[in-house]
Amino acid sequence: HVIFYSTNMRLRLPLLCIILEVILIILFGTLVEYNDDTHAKLWNENRTDSATRNDHENEFYYRYPSFQDVHVMIFVGFGFLMTFLQRYGFSSVGFNFLIAAFSLQWATLMQGFFHGLHHGKIHVGVTSMINADFCTGSVLISFGAVLGKTSPVQLLVMAIFEVTLFAVNEFILLSILGVNDAGGSMTIHTFGAYFGLMVTRVLYRPNLDKSKHRNSSVYHSDLFAMIGTIYLWMFWPSFNSAITNYGDPQHRTAMNTYYSLAACTLATFAFSALVNPEGKLDMVHIQNAALAGGVAVGTAGEMMLTAFGSMIVGFLAGTISVLGYKYLTPVLESKLKIQDTCGIHNLHGMPGVLGAVVGAVTAALASPDVYGHGLQRVFADVETGKWNPQSRGGFQAISLAVTLGMALFGGLITGFILKLPIYGAPPDTHCFEDGLYWEPFSDPLVIPPLAKHIHRHA
Amino acid sequence: HVIFYSTNMRLRLPLLCIILEVILIILFGTLVEYNDDTHAKLWNENRTDSATRNDHENEFYYRYPSFQDVHVMIFVGFGFLMTFLQRYGFSSVGFNFLIAAFSLQWATLMQGFFHGLHHGKIHVGVTSMINADFCTGSVLISFGAVLGKTSPVQLLVMAIFEVTLFAVNEFILLSILGVNDAGGSMTIHTFGAYFGLMVTRVLYRPNLDKSKHRNSSVYHSDLFAMIGTIYLWMFWPSFNSAITNYGDPQHRTAMNTYYSLAACTLATFAFSALVNPEGKLDMVHIQNAALAGGVAVGTAGEMMLTAFGSMIVGFLAGTISVLGYKYLTPVLESKLKIQDTCGIHNLHGMPGVLGAVVGAVTAALASPDVYGHGLQRVFADVETGKWNPQSRGGFQAISLAVTLGMALFGGLITGFILKLPIYGAPPDTHCFEDGLYWEPFSDPLVIPPLAKHIHRHA
Amino acid sequence: HVIFYSTNMRLRLPLLCIILEVILIILFGTLVEYNDDTHAKLWNENRTDSATRNDHENEFYYRYPSFQDVHVMIFVGFGFLMTFLQRYGFSSVGFNFLIAAFSLQWATLMQGFFHGLHHGKIHVGVTSMINADFCTGSVLISFGAVLGKTSPVQLLVMAIFEVTLFAVNEFILLSILGVNDAGGSMTIHTFGAYFGLMVTRVLYRPNLDKSKHRNSSVYHSDLFAMIGTIYLWMFWPSFNSAITNYGDPQHRTAMNTYYSLAACTLATFAFSALVNPEGKLDMVHIQNAALAGGVAVGTAGEMMLTAFGSMIVGFLAGTISVLGYKYLTPVLESKLKIQDTCGIHNLHGMPGVLGAVVGAVTAALASPDVYGHGLQRVFADVETGKWNPQSRGGFQAISLAVTLGMALFGGLITGFILKLPIYGAPPDTHCFEDGLYWEPFSDPLVIPPLAKHIHRHA
């Protein structure tokens, strides 16, 4: 028993990190090249060839501010959102940091491999950086489901599999089915949520209530979490618009997301007070449900959804998210044995599915009357002449089904792999506890016997 | 008595939020359209018409980075700045979030209505988003005056009126008087400050000292507040330059603001130590007065103020702000019955007036010698041939008077509306207390009887 | 004794701040002018002259987003990184704020003076703002070495000298030797680190262990510090690319830095666990060593280092940084009497030297085959016809030696100046203590006698 639950990471974590990084470095060395916009020779050759091409047309200036906003969402947004647990702040920010730093490298390779090699090489630039961050976001969503119950070794192993399957699913959706999903309602949120929910289902701990006194927030940890929430909320317009086409699509997507989130926030406050017997607001709802509006316009945001349409979607997303936290999460745990620490089903799962449906409907309603010459800048198949709004809507709907299937199947397999007793997972009595994986720290607030107990145990 | 002071928000807050959002959605559905830069058809039509128009000329690329910086100031800057209170962090960040999310939608309609309809429609894009955030900033300034003493329902009602009057005042200044105020020394700061001061005057609580033990900071809450301060400080150059003309005005405004703030910070530290008997620094000054330099170049920042001029203005602003906190705020409370929780008079009121005066003087000193062909890019009336620096200076000064009048009158009316005993305002004994409006939370630092007492009361 | 150690700042701090700011204002008034891109007349003259020059070519749009990211690193990144001390958060963020606000003004003058006057005037714009922030970063690195042991007056005096010598060293490297160092591995990190280490050596306190109970973190202070870490980590790609040439160099530098940091993070987690007997992670390593990858590609980042090369450099940097914290820092203190509060030798010193070496090697390997027409956009001496990769590499190596010499010599002199007993330095018994310089604050966590003791003492 002691061997199974030993969380000593002295060899396992370093070895895994070093082996992974060495593999990454070798693969990058053999497969990865600068693209036309980052290569000294190629960028300047093209400049000479064409008098109209100037430095300001380098994709850097169109996408880098969005990239940095996305980067903040990944590292500060997700990282601090999960610090709400009273005694898991180091691990929330720290493991988020570790698995994101790994995933973005691995994702560059996987996405590059599936999305098209150039003479056997993967070309990288700011767009690949954004896509890698997006894929990383999906892994961090799944992290939210298993938060506090997994070792960093388990999380890295999960990331290896999830990134790979993410790239496969993304390839099927974007390259084979040719659907739209610039903000990732399907590829990022739905995939990450149902993958993570399946993993946590497989890793079900019947005795998790032994750690329930730590599975909650304190006053200051909720304020740290609000840093994450607010950054995610503010920069979601950049997230959804980061890889849309230049010009009107990027501009429109950012604005649609802005309105969706604003309406979502009012719905969140309204329903948070409404479902409470005393009419009091719940920080869990504010921290999470207010973001559902960004998830739910992840597919349709680049389309002519209108501000009005965006606000309706955002309002619905906030509503179902709060109701999910209040009524569905307890049922998922008690009936389906899904222990979802952060409630990702309410923030990413249901709003992601809503976003996919809204995307399918909006695509099916698209017409040249509304989009004019801009139609082909949103729907890629217009140029190939295969464009048909109804079938487009149909493909969008099929994509949702594919994503759900990939996520649930991938999560199932990955869950069983993570169940092997070799990763130093925390015991049921010490979930949600930084002391297991971090150097002893001083905290005037901690109950001293707890700290001692941890050290004896580990 | 119990009915009057009941803070039970179970029906009032949800109903108000839902009704407001439904009204917003209906109005957006009937009135709001994408502008030329966000509309798929219009943007691409224009592209076809003119070979020189390219995606990089979409206003998105000129303004979106500034918009995101402004957005951070509104949600993180204002939100966290007000977390300095020891037991009001949830409400500071949370209510800031709620009223900002409402105000930006309402402001889009009000500003769109006043600033020019296009065939009966309001056109939206990144500039309207920045303007809406600006108007929201004004509401959040007023929030600072009543912080801890108002319910979220009161704050939403305040926002309805304040946004409307803000749009009227802005219309008078920018469209009728044609003055310059890109960074909002008058429209945002002066207006928001004196509006809020009048509201808090009308809502005067003679027995507020019953809550005085909570009307102060603790060590960690001051650190959270510094997150707000630093973000406001860093991004103020983006705030002041966000809607100036492209090119040199945007560039110059950002730089002038940068120098003003740097000089202001040295003044703040100097005077904070000087006014203290032991020469110790006061976090209240550092958190607030160091920002006054941004307020005070809100009007003149886009003009040829020079780095040198900006630094003088910043130095003065920091000085009067610290002196205001030390000597004026206590007098305002004891003599004028103005209970100004955050000291907005010192951060936004006086520096805003200073900014208006500096703007008037700088405009009056403008000449083609100095500005060359750039004159018309700063002063709009040059193109109409009506330009005259002295009258321009005069109009700037008149604008300050108009703004003060509108703010004081609007705040008076709004204050009396907010005095109605129907909004669930906190009782004098429980101001500055998150427990009234938020789910019970665990806090090892809270004195347990206090928490119990709250629950009994509510 | 009491006079020597009096920390009463009532006159000294205000006088120094006011005198410095007045001098700055006078010098700015006589020496500083808007550059072509910020001047209303000059920018619009140029527009008229050349039909191809448009507003989007204003340097503002190429550099301002990077500037804001750098600005965040300086004020939030450095400021919060140093809040890890349990009782020094106000001073960490506050003094960081003060000395940065001063340094950026002083640096504008010093750098402008050395880097080329225009008819006796210093021209300012966004590039000078970035350079001033860079120089400020160097001062803040040195601040990390003396953190907790110096008064704000000492820090300002240090900044006066350090900024001046920074500008001299930068002039020698960039203008005389003509080397590359866009991200400042040498000019910023190596210089700031060895300057600071020499200062703290001269200020050696044999009895510092009297304050050792405060020279450590608590749970929440480590979380605040992680805000600083994560922002530095995220925005480092902007830091290294902020002043490279437009187009491919800026794009490539950002991407190289991104990969270097990702690899560095895995190395940091690996070695942090490996050097701990229980395999537990140490927050000190995560907070600091994970950033070394950004430092180490500060010189070579703009070159054709490749993602692969960047990852190797990042991995090495993280490794030596963790090992430095574990094994070298204690030796530096016990043997060399260097008390390095933040361990800047591990984060900036050794990785800076590594970055200089990597830069020299990468420059020596540069060839027209690889860079094509882009060669002259990276290596300025190509245009003058003097380019020779081997001598280029040699000059890079010489620059490292010059930087080390300037830093150690400058730190030595400055250290002796700071040793004068006139600046209100904290006594050995009250280092790392906010109570010395800040208004009494309430903190439920503080041991009351300590607070009292401070007041009696001061």
Side-chain angles (χ1 to χ4, degrees), chain A residues 145-304:
Chain A
V146 297
L147 187 75
K149 303 171 295 183
T150 39
S151 74
V153 170
Q154 276 178 305
L155 294 170
L156 284 170
V157 173
M158 184 179 83
I160 297 170
F161 288 96
E162 185 166 0
V163 165
T164 310
L165 290 164
F166 176 99
V168 173
N169 185 57
E170 193 185 34
F171 172 69
I172 296 171
L173 265 61
L174 304 188
S175 301
I176 298 182
L177 298 174
V179 300
N180 287 55
D181 197 21
S185 288
M186 294 181 284
T187 53
I188 302 167
H189 300 288
T190 304
F191 182 83
Y194 289 96
F195 187 99
L197 291 169
M198 190 51 103
V199 168
T200 199
R201 172 63 190 83
V202 176
L203 298 179
Y204 178 66
R205 291 171 180 258
N207 299 315
L208 189 60
D209 58 353
K210 287 181 181 170
S211 288
K212 75 176 170 191
H213 56 294
R214 263 178 266 107
N215 187 7
S216 61
S217 65
V218 289
Y219 193 67
H220 284 104
S221 69
D222 265 331
L223 273 179
F224 277 112
M226 279 303 282
I227 296 175
T229 296
I230 297 288
Y231 271 99
L232 287 167
W233 195 92
M234 293 185 302
F235 288 164
W236 218 296
S238 302
F239 189 94
N240 283 347
S241 65
I243 56 160
T244 59
N245 257 323
Y246 299 160
D248 64 288
Q250 207 170 354
H251 197 164
R252 183 170 58 247
T253 309
M255 192 166 64
N256 287 340
T257 308
Y258 169 85
Y259 286 123
S260 176
L261 285 162
C264 179
T265 302
L266 267 80
T268 299
F269 276 82
F271 285 91
S272 184
L274 196 62
V275 299
N276 182 283
E278 291 184 85
K280 295 197 177 189
L281 297 161
D282 189 333
M283 272 307 240
V284 174
H285 304 154
I286 309 307
Q287 284 163 5
N288 293 281
L291 301 169
V295 174
V297 295
T299 304
E302 65 176 320
M303 305 177 194
M304 291 290 285

Side-chain angles (χ1 to χ4, degrees), chain A residues 35-56:
Chain A
N35 72 4
D36 284 10
D37 291 49
T38 45
H39 196 294
K41 190 174 192 173
L42 299 179
W43 176 254
N44 292 290
E45 250 171 20
N46 292 332
R47 281 165 50 89
T48 311
D49 288 351
S50 157
T52 58
R53 187 160 187 189
N54 287 308
D55 278 332
H56 67 261

Side-chain angles (χ1 to χ4, degrees), chain B residues 56-57 61-63 65-66 69 86 216-220 222-224 226-227 229-231 233-239 241 245-252 254-256 258-259 261-267 269-271 273-283 286 290-291 301 303-308 310-312 315 327 368-375 377-378 445, chain C residues 8-11 13-14 17-18 20-21 24-26 28-29 32 34-35 37-41 43-45 47-48 55-56 58-61 64-65 67-68 71-72 75-76 80 83 85-90 93-95 97-98 101-102 104-105 108 124-126 128-130 132-133 152 218 220-221 224 227 231 434-445 454-455 458:
Chain B
H56 67 260
E57 292 180 20
Y61 303 102
Y62 290 92
R63 303 226 184 269
S66 305
D69 292 350
Q86 57 184 281
S216 61
S217 65
V218 289
Y219 193 67
H220 284 105
D222 266 331
L223 272 180
F224 277 111
M226 279 302 281
I227 297 175
T229 296
I230 298 288
Y231 271 99
W233 194 92
M234 293 185 303
F235 288 164
W236 217 296
S238 302
F239 189 94
S241 66
N245 258 323
Y246 298 161
D248 65 288
Q250 206 170 353
H251 197 163
R252 183 169 58 247
M255 193 166 63
N256 287 339
Y258 169 85
Y259 286 123
L261 285 162
C264 179
T265 302
L266 266 79
F269 276 83
F271 285 91
L274 196 62
V275 299
N276 182 283
E278 292 184 86
K280 295 198 176 189
L281 297 160
D282 189 333
M283 271 308 241
I286 309 307
L291 301 168
M303 305 176 194
M304 292 289 286
L305 184 59
T306 74
F308 158 73
S310 306
M311 288 157 75
I312 293 173
F315 193 86
Y327 302 110
D369 279 359
V370 175
Y371 290 75
H373 293 296
L375 192 65
R377 311 193 78 211
V378 176
L445 305 182
Chain C
N8 193 314
M9 297 277 106
R10 181 145 196 203
L11 289 179
L13 181 61
C17 287
I18 292 170
L20 287 176
E21 191 58 47
L24 286 168
I25 289 174
I26 293 171
F28 266 75
V32 172
Y34 291 126
N35 72 4
D37 291 48
T38 46
H39 196 294
K41 191 174 192 173
W43 176 253
N44 293 289
E45 252 172 18
R47 280 164 50 89
T48 311
D55 279 331
H56 68 259
N58 194 295
E59 63 176 349
F60 182 79
Y61 303 102
Y64 188 71
F67 161 71
Q68 276 295 6
H71 219 40
V72 171
F75 289 88
V76 165
F80 278 88
T83 59
L85 291 170
Q86 58 184 281
R87 177 83 18 218
Y88 208 62
F90 290 6
V93 177
F95 297 165
F97 191 19
L98 172 65
F102 164 70
L104 64 88
Q105 297 175 78
T108 304
V124 290
V126 68
S128 75
M129 289 158 72
I130 295 170
D133 268 34
V218 289
H220 284 104
S221 70
F224 277 112
I227 297 174
Y231 271 100
D434 274 338
L436 279 187
Y437 299 109
W438 297 87
E439 275 270 84
F441 42 81
S442 149
D443 189 342
L445 304 183
I454 296 163
H455 297 158

Side-chain angles (χ1 to χ4, degrees), chain B residues 246-426:
Chain B
Y246 298 161
D248 65 288
Q250 206 170 353
H251 197 163
R252 183 169 58 247
T253 310
M255 193 166 63
N256 287 339
T257 308
Y258 169 85
Y259 286 123
S260 175
L261 285 162
C264 179
T265 302
L266 266 79
T268 299
F269 276 83
F271 285 91
S272 184
L274 196 62
V275 299
N276 182 283
E278 292 184 86
K280 295 198 176 189
L281 297 160
D282 189 333
M283 271 308 241
V284 173
H285 304 155
I286 309 307
Q287 283 161 7
N288 292 280
L291 301 168
V295 175
V297 295
T299 304
E302 65 176 321
M303 305 176 194
M304 292 289 286
L305 184 59
T306 74
F308 158 73
S310 306
M311 288 157 75
I312 293 173
V313 175
F315 193 86
L316 284 176
T319 304
I320 61 171
S321 191
V322 171
L323 298 178
Y325 274 100
K326 182 73 181 180
Y327 302 110
L328 196 54
T329 295
V331 175
L332 288 183
E333 176 150 2
S334 61
K335 302 291 178 194
L336 300 182
K337 299 184 178 174
I338 295 172
Q339 293 161 326
D340 178 4
T341 310
C342 294
I344 61 164
H345 188 244
N346 310 305
L347 169 49
H348 302 279
M350 292 190 295
V353 172
L354 173 64
V357 172
V358 171
V361 173
T362 315
L365 295 173
S367 77
D369 279 359
V370 175
Y371 290 75
H373 293 296
L375 192 65
Q376 63 193 29
R377 311 193 78 211
V378 176
F379 300 101
D381 47 5
V382 174
E383 278 192 72
T384 63
K386 291 188 211 150
W387 188 74
N388 172 303
Q390 283 71 41
S391 71
R392 185 94 321 274
F395 278 121
Q396 296 282 142
I398 290 166
S399 296
L400 174 60
V402 171
T403 300
L404 285 168
M406 290 285 295
L408 292 171
F409 177 75
L412 188 74
I413 303 293
T414 306
F416 278 107
I417 292 167
L418 296 182
K419 227 179 152 77
L420 296 174
I422 56 172
Y423 305 112

Side-chain angles (χ1 to χ4, degrees), chain B residues 105-188:
Chain B
Q105 297 176 76
W106 183 233
T108 304
L109 293 171
M110 287 296 106
Q111 293 178 314
F113 181 75
F114 282 110
H115 299 180
L117 298 173
H118 306 255
H119 306 291
K121 298 286 184 179
I122 292 163
H123 281 194
V124 290
V126 68
T127 305
S128 75
M129 289 158 71
I130 295 168
N131 278 317
D133 268 33
F134 277 2
C135 177
T136 298
S138 201
V139 177
L140 300 178
I141 291 166
S142 304
F143 178 32
V146 298
L147 187 75
K149 303 171 294 183
T150 39
S151 75
V153 170
Q154 277 178 304
L155 294 170
L156 283 169
V157 172
M158 184 179 84
I160 297 170
F161 288 98
E162 185 165 1
V163 165
T164 310
L165 289 164
F166 176 99
V168 173
N169 184 57
E170 191 185 36
F171 172 69
I172 296 172
L173 266 61
L174 304 188
S175 301
I176 299 181
L177 299 174
V179 300
N180 286 56
D181 198 20
S185 288
M186 294 182 284
T187 54
I188 301 168

Side-chain angles (χ1 to χ4, degrees), chain B residues 27-75:
Chain B
L27 291 173
F28 266 75
T30 51
L31 289 173
V32 172
E33 280 183 352
Y34 291 126
N35 73 3
D36 285 9
D37 291 47
T38 45
H39 196 293
K41 192 174 190 171
L42 300 178
W43 177 253
N44 292 290
E45 250 171 22
N46 292 331
R47 280 164 50 90
T48 310
D49 288 353
S50 157
T52 58
R53 187 160 187 189
N54 286 310
D55 279 331
H56 67 260
E57 292 180 20
N58 193 295
E59 63 175 349
F60 183 79
Y61 303 102
Y62 290 92
R63 303 226 184 269
Y64 188 72
S66 305
F67 161 72
Q68 275 296 5
D69 292 350
V70 171
H71 218 42
V72 171
M73 294 173 72
I74 296 297
F75 288 89

